[in-house]
């Protein structure tokens, strides 16, 4: 990992992101293969058990599947341990860089990391969240945006404060239910500063949402979209003479009439 620190900052950040993204993919692939292997071995063992003739010795046929399951589990544990160690090293290096591009991979890792790695992720998030803008968060996958909102309920007040300040700054109105749920369910156990900031953030986001809804109402088309012929009439009362004159003006054009000859 030391060669990453020797890279130019931009190349180092790109390398860190690649490694952070590869970790969950590798773990998911290992889990999938282990599950398939175990199911296949169990199915094979059950098949041999059902197909064996009465009184047959099943000890020897079944010991092979059991050994396979044992070694698969052992290998998975070893690879998982190795992956966690490398993951901890890369997270420690990631905490040394200030770059908004690191936030999305960190949020992805946060969902599935072990408890020992969470302080490293929290430290990196705290120093990079102030760089987040509404434009950059729009490029995040939906799952990472949801994770960011859910971090309001994490048991680490400094990160809660950082997340609330970020949500308020980027005006993420989709986080309103998360803040309301946190204030409703954890109001008695919340840090006083976190509670005050959550209430302030909630008021701001609700005001932003109300302004957005009002803007949509004001921007509705004012012309008739029904396709019906609508005759606009003056609402003020008019005299009979004025009414006759208006009917004359609104009468359909029937072509030009010849001038009336002088009498």
């Amino acid at each position: 990992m030391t060669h990453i620190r020797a890279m130019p900052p931009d190349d180092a950040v790109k390398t860190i992101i690649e490694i952070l993204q590869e970790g969950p993919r590798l773990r998911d692939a290992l889990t999938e293969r282990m599950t398939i292997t175990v199911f296949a071995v169990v199915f094979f063992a059950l098949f041999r058990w059902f197909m064996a003739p009465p009184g047959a010795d099943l000890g020897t046929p079944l010991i092979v599947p059991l050994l396979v399951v044992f070694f698969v589990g052992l290998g998975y544990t070893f690879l998982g341990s190795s992956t966690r160690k490398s993951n901890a090293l890369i997270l420690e290096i990631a905490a040394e860089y200030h770059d908004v591009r690191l936030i999305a991979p960190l949020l992805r890792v946060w969902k599935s990391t072990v408890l020992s790695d969470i302080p490293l992720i929290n430290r990196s998030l705290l120093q990079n969240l102030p760089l987040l803008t509404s434009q950059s968060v729009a490029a995040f996958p939906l799952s990472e945006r949801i994770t960011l909102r859910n971090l309001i309920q994490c048991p680490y007040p400094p990160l809660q404060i950082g997340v609330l300040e970020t949500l308020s700054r980027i005006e993420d109105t989709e986080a309103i239910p998360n803040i309301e749920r946190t204030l409703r369910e954890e109001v008695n156990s919340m840090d006083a500063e976190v509670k005050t900031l959550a209430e302030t953030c909630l008021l701001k986001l609700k005001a932003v949402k109300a302004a957005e809804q009002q803007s949509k109402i004001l921007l509705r088309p004012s012309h008739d979209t029904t396709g019906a012929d609508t005759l606009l009439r003056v609402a003020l009362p008019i005299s009979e003479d004025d009414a006759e004159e208006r009917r004359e003006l609104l009468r359909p054009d029937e072509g030009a009439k010849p001038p009336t000859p002088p009498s």
Side-chain angles (χ1 to χ4, degrees):
M1 297 294 178
T2 54
H3 71 281
I4 296 179
R5 293 187 174 96
M7 295 180 178
D10 187 65
D11 293 340
V13 169
K14 290 179 180 178
T15 303
I16 292 170
I17 292 173
E18 290 177 2
I19 297 175
L20 288 176
Q21 291 175 338
E22 188 63 28
R25 284 199 295 262
L26 178 60
R27 183 169 52 251
D28 292 342
L30 287 173
T31 302
E32 181 182 359
R33 292 177 183 177
M34 187 195 75
T35 303
I36 293 174
T37 302
V38 170
F39 271 107
V41 170
V42 170
F43 175 80
F44 174 76
L46 291 175
F47 177 78
R48 292 290 301 270
W49 184 71
F50 279 114
M51 297 300 295
D57 181 16
L58 298 178
T60 303
L62 288 179
I63 197 168
V64 175
L66 291 175
L67 286 174
V68 171
V69 172
F70 172 76
F71 283 112
V72 167
L74 189 64
Y76 180 78
T77 303
F78 173 77
L79 290 174
S81 176
S82 176
T83 302
R84 283 193 295 270
K85 289 180 180 179
S86 62
N87 199 47
L89 288 174
I90 198 64
L91 287 173
E92 185 176 350
I93 296 176
E96 301 173 8
Y97 292 86
H98 292 71
D99 197 298
V100 70
R101 293 173 294 177
L102 290 170
I103 297 177
L106 288 168
L107 291 173
R108 190 177 305 116
V109 173
W110 199 95
K111 294 184 296 183
S112 57
T113 192
V114 295
L115 290 176
S116 59
D117 290 340
I118 288 180
L120 292 172
I121 301 176
N122 291 346
R123 187 174 70 183
S124 188
L125 284 174
L126 279 173
Q127 67 186 20
N128 287 308
L129 281 176
L131 306 175
L132 193 63
T133 64
S134 55
Q135 291 77 19
S136 55
V137 79
F140 283 13
L142 178 60
S143 59
E144 274 64 76
R145 280 180 278 167
I146 293 174
T147 301
L148 178 62
R149 297 165 192 150
N150 289 337
L151 285 180
I152 299 171
Q153 295 181 288
C154 75
Y156 184 50
L159 184 59
Q160 288 179 294
I161 292 172
V163 171
L164 286 167
E165 290 175 344
T166 300
L167 294 173
S168 178
R169 185 180 66 256
I170 65 177
E171 298 183 346
D172 185 3
T173 56
E174 296 296 325
I176 291 176
N178 300 75
I179 302 175
E180 290 177 334
R181 183 170 59 253
T182 302
L183 288 171
R184 183 175 60 252
E185 298 176 355
E186 303 182 18
V187 63
N188 295 326
S189 60
M190 288 179 69
D191 178 85
E193 185 178 358
V194 174
K195 180 182 176 183
T196 301
L197 186 57
E199 292 171 344
T200 304
C201 181
L202 181 61
L203 290 175
K204 178 181 178 180
L205 294 182
K206 284 186 173 181
V208 171
K209 187 173 183 179
E212 291 175 350
Q213 293 174 342
Q214 185 65 24
S215 176
K216 291 178 182 178
I217 293 175
L218 294 175
L219 291 175
R220 287 190 308 177
S222 59
H223 62 277
D224 177 32
T225 58
T226 62
D229 294 331
T230 304
L231 178 62
L232 300 178
R233 293 183 174 84
V234 180
L236 297 175
I238 56 177
S239 64
E240 184 61 29
D241 294 337
D242 290 338
E244 181 61 30
E245 181 179 353
R246 293 181 189 280
R247 284 196 291 271
E248 184 68 27
L249 290 173
L250 293 173
R251 185 172 298 159
D253 185 14
E254 297 177 355
K257 296 182 179 180
T260 304
S263 56

